[in-house]
Amino acid sequence: MAVNLYPHNQIAYRNALRLMEQSGRAAVIHPTGTGKSFIAFKLAEEHPGEKMIWLAPSEYIFHSQREEKRQHCPALPFSPIQS
């Protein structure tokens, strides 16, 4: 199943890719609940051989994001390392 982004997230995704090509880093700053996690899921989907570090401000958010990934992007690998 492919990750489908809403139009505002497609724009943010393209801009993030451009910034990562230019400087090696990017940040997506959008309000809560607007799909930032799905932008990261799309990045993981399109770069399957790359390693990613997923940071979350709390265990609750980490677990809810992991559940979103399981529901919407089950084919994406996910090997969490928690402290």
Side-chain angles (χ1 to χ4, degrees):
M1 173 188 299
V3 177
N4 295 312
L5 299 176
Y6 289 118
H8 69 280
N9 285 331
Q10 290 173 2
I11 294 167
Y13 181 73
R14 286 191 302 269
N15 287 333
L17 286 178
R18 181 180 47 79
L19 288 169
M20 287 190 307
E21 288 173 6
Q22 291 174 353
S23 67
R25 58 183 68 128
V28 176
I29 303 169
H30 284 176
T32 301
T34 58
K36 294 180 298 293
S37 297
F38 285 91
I39 293 170
F41 296 153
K42 185 69 170 178
L43 182 67
E45 177 186 65
E46 292 190 353
H47 299 85
E50 301 293 324
K51 291 184 181 180
M52 296 179 69
I53 297 174
W54 192 285
L55 303 175
S58 71
E59 283 192 42
Y60 171 79
I61 291 174
F62 173 81
H63 291 295
S64 65
Q65 290 172 339
R66 183 171 57 181
E67 186 57 33
E68 285 288 325
K69 190 220 70 77
R70 283 183 184 149
Q71 289 179 11
H72 299 283
C73 318
L76 291 178
F78 191 81
S79 300
I81 299 171
Q82 293 179 282
S83 61

Coordinates of all heavy atoms in Angstrom, one line a residue:
M1 N 0.8 -1.2 0.0 CA 0.0 0.0 0.0 C 0.9 1.2 0.0 O 1.8 1.4 0.8 CB -0.9 0.0 1.2 CG -1.7 1.3 1.4 SD -2.6 1.4 3.0 CE -3.7 0.0 2.9
A2 N 0.7 2.1 -0.9 CA 1.5 3.4 -1.0 C 0.9 4.4 -0.1 O -0.3 4.5 0.2 CB 1.4 3.9 -2.5
V3 N 1.8 5.2 0.4 CA 1.5 6.3 1.3 C 1.0 7.5 0.4 O 1.7 7.9 -0.5 CB 2.7 6.8 2.1 CG1 2.3 8.0 2.9 CG2 3.2 5.7 3.0
N4 N -0.3 7.9 0.6 CA -0.9 9.0 -0.1 C -0.9 10.2 0.7 O -1.4 10.2 1.9 CB -2.3 8.6 -0.6 CG -2.3 7.5 -1.6 OD1 -1.5 7.5 -2.5 ND2 -3.1 6.5 -1.4
L5 N -0.4 11.3 0.2 CA -0.4 12.6 1.0 C -1.4 13.5 0.5 O -1.7 13.6 -0.7 CB 1.0 13.2 0.8 CG 2.2 12.4 1.3 CD1 3.5 13.2 1.0 CD2 2.1 12.1 2.8
Y6 N -2.0 14.3 1.4 CA -2.8 15.4 1.1 C -2.0 16.4 0.3 O -0.8 16.5 0.5 CB -3.5 16.0 2.3 CG -4.5 15.1 3.0 CD1 -4.3 14.7 4.3 CD2 -5.7 14.8 2.3 CE1 -5.3 13.9 4.9 CE2 -6.6 14.0 2.9 CZ -6.4 13.6 4.2 OH -7.4 12.8 4.8
P7 N -2.7 17.3 -0.5 CA -1.9 18.3 -1.3 C -1.0 19.2 -0.5 O 0.2 19.4 -0.9 CB -3.0 19.1 -1.9 CG -4.2 18.2 -2.0 CD -4.1 17.3 -0.8
H8 N -1.4 19.6 0.7 CA -0.5 20.5 1.5 C 0.8 19.7 2.0 O 1.8 20.2 2.1 CB -1.2 21.1 2.7 CG -1.6 20.2 3.8 ND1 -2.7 19.4 3.7 CD2 -1.0 19.9 5.0 CE1 -2.8 18.6 4.8 NE2 -1.8 18.9 5.6
N9 N 0.6 18.4 2.2 CA 1.7 17.6 2.6 C 2.6 17.2 1.4 O 3.8 17.0 1.6 CB 1.3 16.3 3.4 CG 0.9 16.7 4.8 OD1 1.4 17.6 5.4 ND2 -0.1 15.9 5.3
Q10 N 2.0 17.1 0.2 CA 2.8 16.8 -1.0 C 3.8 18.0 -1.2 O 5.0 17.8 -1.5 CB 1.9 16.7 -2.2 CG 1.1 15.4 -2.2 CD 0.1 15.3 -3.3 OE1 0.0 16.2 -4.1 NE2 -0.7 14.3 -3.3
I11 N 3.3 19.2 -1.0 CA 4.1 20.4 -1.1 C 5.3 20.4 -0.1 O 6.4 20.6 -0.4 CB 3.3 21.7 -1.0 CG1 2.3 21.8 -2.2 CG2 4.2 22.9 -0.9 CD1 1.3 22.9 -2.0
A12 N 4.9 20.1 1.2 CA 5.9 20.0 2.2 C 6.9 18.9 2.0 O 8.1 19.1 2.2 CB 5.2 19.8 3.6
Y13 N 6.5 17.8 1.4 CA 7.4 16.7 1.2 C 8.4 17.1 0.1 O 9.6 16.8 0.2 CB 6.5 15.5 0.7 CG 7.4 14.2 0.4 CD1 8.0 13.5 1.4 CD2 7.6 13.8 -0.9 CE1 8.8 12.4 1.2 CE2 8.3 12.7 -1.2 CZ 8.9 12.0 -0.1 OH 9.7 10.9 -0.4
R14 N 7.9 17.7 -1.0 CA 8.8 18.1 -2.1 C 9.8 19.1 -1.6 O 11.0 19.0 -1.9 CB 8.0 18.6 -3.3 CG 7.3 17.6 -4.1 CD 6.7 18.1 -5.4 NE 5.8 19.2 -5.2 CZ 4.5 19.1 -5.1 NH1 3.9 17.9 -5.1 NH2 3.7 20.1 -5.0
N15 N 9.3 20.0 -0.8 CA 10.2 21.0 -0.2 C 11.3 20.4 0.7 O 12.5 20.8 0.7 CB 9.5 22.1 0.5 CG 8.8 23.1 -0.4 OD1 9.2 23.2 -1.6 ND2 7.7 23.7 0.0
A16 N 10.9 19.4 1.5 CA 11.8 18.7 2.4 C 12.8 18.0 1.6 O 14.0 18.0 2.0 CB 11.0 17.8 3.3
L17 N 12.4 17.3 0.5 CA 13.4 16.6 -0.3 C 14.4 17.6 -0.9 O 15.6 17.3 -0.9 CB 12.7 15.9 -1.4 CG 11.9 14.6 -1.1 CD1 11.2 14.0 -2.3 CD2 12.8 13.6 -0.4
R18 N 13.9 18.7 -1.4 CA 14.8 19.7 -1.9 C 15.8 20.2 -0.9 O 17.0 20.3 -1.2 CB 14.0 20.9 -2.5 CG 14.9 22.0 -3.1 CD 14.0 23.1 -3.7 NE 13.0 23.6 -2.7 CZ 13.2 24.4 -1.7 NH1 14.5 24.9 -1.5 NH2 12.3 24.8 -0.9
L19 N 15.3 20.5 0.3 CA 16.2 20.9 1.4 C 17.2 19.8 1.8 O 18.4 20.1 2.0 CB 15.4 21.4 2.6 CG 14.7 22.7 2.4 CD1 13.7 22.9 3.6 CD2 15.7 23.8 2.4
M20 N 16.8 18.6 1.8 CA 17.7 17.5 2.2 C 18.8 17.3 1.1 O 19.9 17.0 1.4 CB 16.9 16.2 2.4 CG 16.2 16.3 3.7 SD 15.4 14.7 4.3 CE 14.5 14.2 2.9
E21 N 18.4 17.5 -0.2 CA 19.4 17.4 -1.2 C 20.5 18.6 -1.1 O 21.6 18.4 -1.4 CB 18.8 17.5 -2.6 CG 18.0 16.2 -2.9 CD 17.2 16.3 -4.2 OE1 17.3 17.4 -4.9 OE2 16.5 15.4 -4.5
Q22 N 20.0 19.8 -0.7 CA 20.9 20.9 -0.6 C 21.7 20.9 0.7 O 22.9 21.2 0.6 CB 20.0 22.2 -0.6 CG 19.4 22.5 -1.9 CD 18.4 23.7 -1.8 OE1 18.2 24.3 -0.8 NE2 17.9 24.1 -3.0
S23 N 21.1 20.6 1.8 CA 21.9 20.7 3.1 C 22.0 19.4 3.9 O 22.6 19.4 4.9 CB 21.2 21.8 3.9 OG 19.9 21.3 4.3
G24 N 21.3 18.4 3.5 CA 21.3 17.1 4.2 C 20.3 17.1 5.4 O 20.3 16.1 6.1
R25 N 19.5 18.1 5.5 CA 18.5 18.1 6.6 C 17.3 19.0 6.2 O 17.4 19.8 5.3 CB 19.1 18.6 7.9 CG 19.7 20.0 7.8 CD 20.4 20.4 9.1 NE 21.5 19.6 9.3 CZ 22.7 20.1 9.6 NH1 22.9 21.3 9.7 NH2 23.7 19.3 9.8
A26 N 16.2 18.7 6.9 CA 15.0 19.5 6.7 C 14.1 19.3 7.9 O 14.2 18.3 8.6 CB 14.3 19.0 5.4
A27 N 13.2 20.2 8.1 CA 12.2 20.2 9.1 C 10.9 20.5 8.5 O 10.8 21.5 7.7 CB 12.5 21.1 10.3
V28 N 9.8 19.8 8.9 CA 8.5 20.2 8.5 C 7.8 20.7 9.8 O 7.6 19.9 10.7 CB 7.7 18.9 7.9 CG1 6.3 19.3 7.6 CG2 8.5 18.4 6.7
I29 N 7.3 21.9 9.7 CA 6.7 22.5 10.9 C 5.3 22.8 10.5 O 5.0 23.8 9.8 CB 7.4 23.8 11.3 CG1 8.9 23.4 11.6 CG2 6.8 24.4 12.5 CD1 9.8 24.6 11.8
H30 N 4.4 21.9 10.9 CA 2.9 22.1 10.7 C 2.2 21.9 12.0 O 2.8 21.3 12.9 CB 2.5 21.0 9.7 CG 2.8 21.3 8.3 ND1 2.5 20.4 7.3 CD2 3.4 22.3 7.7 CE1 2.9 20.8 6.1 NE2 3.5 22.0 6.3
P31 N 1.0 22.3 12.1 CA 0.2 22.1 13.3 C 0.0 20.7 13.6 O 0.0 19.8 12.7 CB -1.1 22.9 13.1 CG -0.8 23.8 12.0 CD 0.3 23.2 11.1
T32 N -0.3 20.4 14.9 CA -0.6 19.0 15.3 C -1.8 18.5 14.5 O -2.8 19.2 14.2 CB -1.0 19.0 16.8 OG1 0.1 19.6 17.5 CG2 -1.4 17.7 17.3
G33 N -1.7 17.2 14.1 CA -2.7 16.5 13.4 C -2.9 16.8 11.9 O -3.8 16.4 11.3
T34 N -1.8 17.4 11.3 CA -1.9 17.8 9.9 C -1.2 16.8 9.0 O -1.2 17.0 7.7 CB -1.5 19.2 9.6 OG1 -0.1 19.3 10.1 CG2 -2.3 20.2 10.3
G35 N -0.6 15.8 9.5 CA 0.0 14.7 8.7 C 1.5 14.7 8.6 O 2.1 14.1 7.7
K36 N 2.2 15.3 9.6 CA 3.7 15.3 9.5 C 4.2 13.9 9.5 O 5.2 13.5 8.8 CB 4.3 16.1 10.7 CG 4.0 17.6 10.6 CD 4.6 18.3 11.8 CE 4.1 17.9 13.1 NZ 2.7 18.2 13.4
S37 N 3.6 13.0 10.3 CA 4.1 11.6 10.4 C 4.0 10.9 9.0 O 4.8 10.1 8.6 CB 3.2 10.8 11.4 OG 3.4 11.3 12.7
F38 N 2.9 11.3 8.3 CA 2.7 10.6 6.9 C 3.8 11.1 6.0 O 4.2 10.4 5.1 CB 1.3 10.9 6.4 CG 0.3 10.0 7.1 CD1 -0.4 10.5 8.2 CD2 0.1 8.7 6.6 CE1 -1.3 9.7 8.9 CE2 -0.9 7.9 7.3 CZ -1.5 8.4 8.4
I39 N 4.3 12.3 6.1 CA 5.4 12.8 5.3 C 6.6 11.9 5.6 O 7.3 11.5 4.7 CB 5.7 14.3 5.6 CG1 4.5 15.2 5.1 CG2 7.0 14.7 4.9 CD1 4.6 16.6 5.5
A40 N 6.9 11.6 6.9 CA 8.0 10.8 7.2 C 7.8 9.4 6.7 O 8.7 8.7 6.2 CB 8.2 10.8 8.7
F41 N 6.5 8.9 6.8 CA 6.2 7.5 6.2 C 6.5 7.5 4.7 O 7.0 6.5 4.2 CB 4.8 7.1 6.5 CG 4.4 7.0 7.9 CD1 3.1 7.2 8.3 CD2 5.3 6.7 8.9 CE1 2.7 7.0 9.6 CE2 4.9 6.5 10.2 CZ 3.6 6.7 10.6
K42 N 6.1 8.6 4.0 CA 6.4 8.7 2.6 C 7.9 8.6 2.3 O 8.4 8.0 1.4 CB 5.7 9.9 2.0 CG 5.8 10.0 0.5 CD 5.0 9.0 -0.2 CE 4.9 9.2 -1.6 NZ 4.1 8.2 -2.3
L43 N 8.7 9.4 3.1 CA 10.1 9.4 2.9 C 10.7 8.0 3.1 O 11.5 7.5 2.3 CB 10.7 10.3 3.9 CG 12.2 10.5 3.8 CD1 12.6 11.2 2.5 CD2 12.7 11.3 5.0
A44 N 10.2 7.3 4.1 CA 10.7 5.9 4.4 C 10.3 5.0 3.2 O 11.1 4.1 2.8 CB 10.1 5.4 5.7
E45 N 9.1 5.2 2.7 CA 8.6 4.4 1.6 C 9.4 4.5 0.3 O 9.8 3.6 -0.3 CB 7.1 4.7 1.3 CG 6.6 4.0 0.1 CD 5.2 4.5 -0.2 OE1 5.0 5.6 -0.6 OE2 4.2 3.7 -0.1
E46 N 9.8 5.8 0.1 CA 10.6 6.1 -1.2 C 12.1 5.9 -1.0 O 12.8 6.0 -2.0 CB 10.2 7.5 -1.6 CG 8.8 7.6 -2.1 CD 8.5 8.9 -2.8 OE1 9.4 9.8 -2.9 OE2 7.4 9.0 -3.4
H47 N 12.5 5.6 0.2 CA 14.0 5.4 0.4 C 14.1 4.1 1.3 O 14.6 4.2 2.4 CB 14.6 6.6 1.1 CG 14.5 7.8 0.3 ND1 13.4 8.6 0.3 CD2 15.4 8.3 -0.6 CE1 13.6 9.6 -0.6 NE2 14.8 9.5 -1.1
P48 N 13.7 3.0 0.8 CA 13.7 1.7 1.6 C 15.0 1.2 2.1 O 15.1 0.6 3.1 CB 13.0 0.7 0.7 CG 13.3 1.2 -0.7 CD 13.3 2.7 -0.6
G49 N 16.1 1.6 1.4 CA 17.4 1.1 1.8 C 18.1 2.0 2.8 O 19.2 1.7 3.3
E50 N 17.5 3.1 3.2 CA 18.1 4.1 4.1 C 17.6 3.8 5.5 O 16.5 3.3 5.8 CB 17.6 5.5 3.7 CG 18.1 5.9 2.3 CD 19.5 6.1 2.2 OE1 20.2 6.5 3.1 OE2 20.0 5.7 1.1
K51 N 18.5 4.2 6.5 CA 18.1 4.1 7.9 C 17.5 5.4 8.3 O 18.0 6.5 7.9 CB 19.3 3.7 8.7 CG 19.8 2.3 8.5 CD 20.9 2.0 9.4 CE 21.4 0.6 9.2 NZ 22.5 0.2 10.1
M52 N 16.5 5.4 9.2 CA 15.9 6.6 9.7 C 15.9 6.5 11.2 O 15.7 5.4 11.8 CB 14.5 6.7 9.2 CG 14.4 6.9 7.7 SD 12.7 7.1 7.1 CE 12.3 8.7 7.8
I53 N 16.0 7.6 11.9 CA 15.8 7.7 13.3 C 14.5 8.4 13.5 O 14.3 9.5 13.0 CB 16.9 8.4 14.0 CG1 18.2 7.7 13.8 CG2 16.6 8.6 15.5 CD1 19.4 8.4 14.3
W54 N 13.6 7.8 14.2 CA 12.3 8.4 14.5 C 12.2 8.9 16.0 O 12.3 8.0 16.9 CB 11.2 7.4 14.2 CG 9.8 7.9 14.2 CD1 9.0 8.4 15.3 CD2 9.0 8.2 13.0 NE1 7.8 8.8 14.8 CE2 7.8 8.7 13.5 CE3 9.2 8.0 11.7 CZ2 6.8 9.1 12.6 CZ3 8.2 8.3 10.8 CH2 7.0 8.8 11.3
L55 N 12.1 10.1 16.2 CA 12.1 10.7 17.5 C 10.6 11.1 17.8 O 10.0 11.7 17.0 CB 13.0 11.9 17.7 CG 14.5 11.6 17.3 CD1 15.3 12.9 17.4 CD2 15.1 10.6 18.3
A56 N 10.2 10.9 19.1 CA 8.9 11.3 19.5 C 9.1 11.9 20.9 O 9.9 11.5 21.7 CB 7.9 10.2 19.5
P57 N 8.3 12.9 21.2 CA 8.4 13.6 22.5 C 7.9 12.8 23.7 O 8.1 13.2 24.8 CB 7.6 14.9 22.3 CG 6.6 14.6 21.3 CD 7.3 13.6 20.4
S58 N 7.1 11.7 23.4 CA 6.6 10.9 24.5 C 6.4 9.5 24.0 O 6.2 9.3 22.8 CB 5.3 11.5 25.1 OG 4.3 11.3 24.1
E59 N 6.3 8.6 25.0 CA 6.0 7.2 24.6 C 4.6 7.1 24.0 O 4.4 6.3 23.0 CB 6.1 6.3 25.8 CG 7.6 6.0 26.1 CD 7.7 4.8 27.1 OE1 6.9 3.8 26.9 OE2 8.5 4.9 28.0
Y60 N 3.6 7.9 24.5 CA 2.3 7.9 24.0 C 2.3 8.2 22.5 O 1.7 7.5 21.6 CB 1.4 8.8 24.7 CG 0.0 9.0 24.1 CD1 -0.9 8.0 24.2 CD2 -0.3 10.1 23.3 CE1 -2.2 8.1 23.6 CE2 -1.5 10.2 22.7 CZ -2.5 9.2 22.9 OH -3.7 9.3 22.3
I61 N 3.0 9.3 22.1 CA 3.0 9.7 20.7 C 3.7 8.7 19.9 O 3.3 8.4 18.8 CB 3.6 11.1 20.6 CG1 2.6 12.2 21.2 CG2 3.9 11.5 19.1 CD1 3.2 13.6 21.3
F62 N 4.8 8.2 20.4 CA 5.6 7.2 19.7 C 4.7 6.0 19.3 O 4.6 5.5 18.2 CB 6.8 6.7 20.5 CG 7.5 5.5 19.9 CD1 8.4 5.7 18.8 CD2 7.3 4.2 20.3 CE1 9.1 4.7 18.3 CE2 7.9 3.2 19.8 CZ 8.8 3.4 18.7
H63 N 3.9 5.5 20.3 CA 3.1 4.3 20.1 C 1.9 4.7 19.2 O 1.5 3.8 18.4 CB 2.6 3.8 21.4 CG 3.7 3.1 22.2 ND1 4.4 2.0 21.8 CD2 4.2 3.5 23.4 CE1 5.3 1.7 22.7 NE2 5.2 2.6 23.7
S64 N 1.4 5.9 19.3 CA 0.3 6.2 18.4 C 0.8 6.4 16.9 O 0.1 6.0 16.0 CB -0.4 7.5 18.8 OG 0.4 8.6 18.8
Q65 N 2.0 6.9 16.7 CA 2.5 7.0 15.4 C 2.8 5.6 14.8 O 2.6 5.3 13.7 CB 3.8 7.8 15.4 CG 3.5 9.3 15.6 CD 4.8 10.1 15.9 OE1 5.8 9.6 16.2 NE2 4.7 11.4 15.7
R66 N 3.3 4.7 15.7 CA 3.6 3.3 15.2 C 2.3 2.7 14.8 O 2.3 1.9 13.8 CB 4.3 2.6 16.3 CG 4.7 1.1 15.9 CD 5.5 0.4 16.9 NE 4.9 0.4 18.2 CZ 5.5 -0.2 19.2 NH1 6.7 -0.7 19.1 NH2 4.8 -0.3 20.4
E67 N 1.2 2.9 15.5 CA -0.1 2.3 15.2 C -0.6 2.9 13.9 O -1.1 2.2 13.1 CB -1.1 2.5 16.3 CG -2.4 1.8 16.1 CD -2.3 0.3 15.9 OE1 -1.4 -0.3 16.5 OE2 -3.1 -0.2 15.1
E68 N -0.4 4.2 13.7 CA -0.8 4.8 12.4 C -0.1 4.1 11.2 O -0.6 3.8 10.2 CB -0.5 6.3 12.4 CG -1.5 7.1 13.2 CD -2.8 7.2 12.5 OE1 -2.9 7.3 11.3 OE2 -3.8 7.3 13.3
K69 N 1.3 3.9 11.4 CA 2.0 3.2 10.4 C 1.5 1.8 10.1 O 1.4 1.4 9.0 CB 3.5 3.2 10.8 CG 4.4 2.7 9.7 CD 5.5 1.8 10.1 CE 5.2 0.5 10.6 NZ 4.8 -0.5 9.6
R70 N 1.2 1.1 11.2 CA 0.7 -0.3 11.0 C -0.6 -0.3 10.2 O -0.8 -1.1 9.4 CB 0.5 -0.9 12.4 CG 1.7 -1.4 13.0 CD 1.4 -2.1 14.3 NE 2.6 -2.5 15.0 CZ 2.8 -2.6 16.3 NH1 1.8 -2.3 17.1 NH2 3.9 -2.9 16.8
Q71 N -1.5 0.7 10.5 CA -2.8 0.7 9.8 C -2.7 1.2 8.4 O -3.3 0.7 7.5 CB -3.7 1.7 10.6 CG -4.2 1.2 11.9 CD -5.1 2.1 12.6 OE1 -5.6 3.1 12.0 NE2 -5.4 1.9 13.9
H72 N -1.9 2.2 8.1 CA -1.8 2.8 6.8 C -0.7 2.4 5.9 O -0.7 2.6 4.7 CB -1.9 4.4 7.0 CG -3.1 4.9 7.7 ND1 -4.3 5.0 7.0 CD2 -3.3 5.3 8.9 CE1 -5.2 5.5 7.9 NE2 -4.6 5.6 9.1
C73 N 0.4 1.9 6.5 CA 1.6 1.6 5.8 C 2.2 0.3 6.3 O 3.4 0.3 6.7 CB 2.6 2.7 5.9 SG 2.0 4.4 5.9
P74 N 1.5 -0.8 6.3 CA 1.9 -2.0 6.9 C 3.2 -2.6 6.2 O 3.9 -3.4 6.9 CB 0.8 -3.0 6.8 CG -0.1 -2.4 5.6 CD 0.2 -1.0 5.7
A75 N 3.5 -2.3 5.0 CA 4.7 -2.8 4.3 C 6.0 -2.2 4.8 O 7.0 -2.7 4.5 CB 4.5 -2.7 2.8
L76 N 5.9 -1.0 5.4 CA 7.1 -0.3 5.8 C 7.7 -1.0 7.0 O 7.0 -1.3 8.0 CB 6.8 1.2 6.2 CG 6.4 2.1 5.1 CD1 6.2 3.5 5.6 CD2 7.5 2.2 4.0
P77 N 9.0 -1.3 7.0 CA 9.7 -1.9 8.1 C 9.7 -0.9 9.3 O 9.8 0.3 9.1 CB 11.0 -2.3 7.6 CG 11.3 -1.3 6.5 CD 9.9 -1.0 5.9
F78 N 9.7 -1.4 10.5 CA 9.8 -0.6 11.7 C 10.4 -1.4 12.8 O 9.8 -2.3 13.3 CB 8.3 -0.1 12.0 CG 8.3 1.0 13.0 CD1 8.5 2.3 12.7 CD2 8.0 0.7 14.4 CE1 8.4 3.3 13.6 CE2 8.0 1.7 15.3 CZ 8.2 3.0 14.9
S79 N 11.6 -1.0 13.1 CA 12.3 -1.7 14.2 C 12.6 -0.7 15.3 O 13.7 0.0 15.2 CB 13.6 -2.3 13.7 OG 13.3 -3.3 12.7
P80 N 11.7 -0.5 16.3 CA 12.0 0.5 17.3 C 13.1 0.2 18.2 O 13.3 -0.9 18.6 CB 10.6 0.6 18.0 CG 10.0 -0.7 17.8 CD 10.5 -1.2 16.5
I81 N 13.8 1.2 18.6 CA 14.8 1.1 19.7 C 14.4 2.2 20.7 O 14.3 3.4 20.4 CB 16.2 1.5 19.2 CG1 16.6 0.5 18.1 CG2 17.2 1.5 20.3 CD1 17.9 0.8 17.4
Q82 N 14.0 1.7 21.9 CA 13.6 2.6 22.9 C 14.5 2.7 24.0 O 15.2 1.7 24.4 CB 12.2 2.2 23.4 CG 11.1 2.4 22.4 CD 9.8 1.9 22.9 OE1 9.5 0.7 23.0 NE2 9.0 2.9 23.3
S83 N 14.6 3.8 24.7 CA 15.5 4.0 25.8 C 14.8 3.7 27.1 O 13.6 3.6 27.2 CB 16.1 5.4 25.9 OG 15.1 6.3 26.0

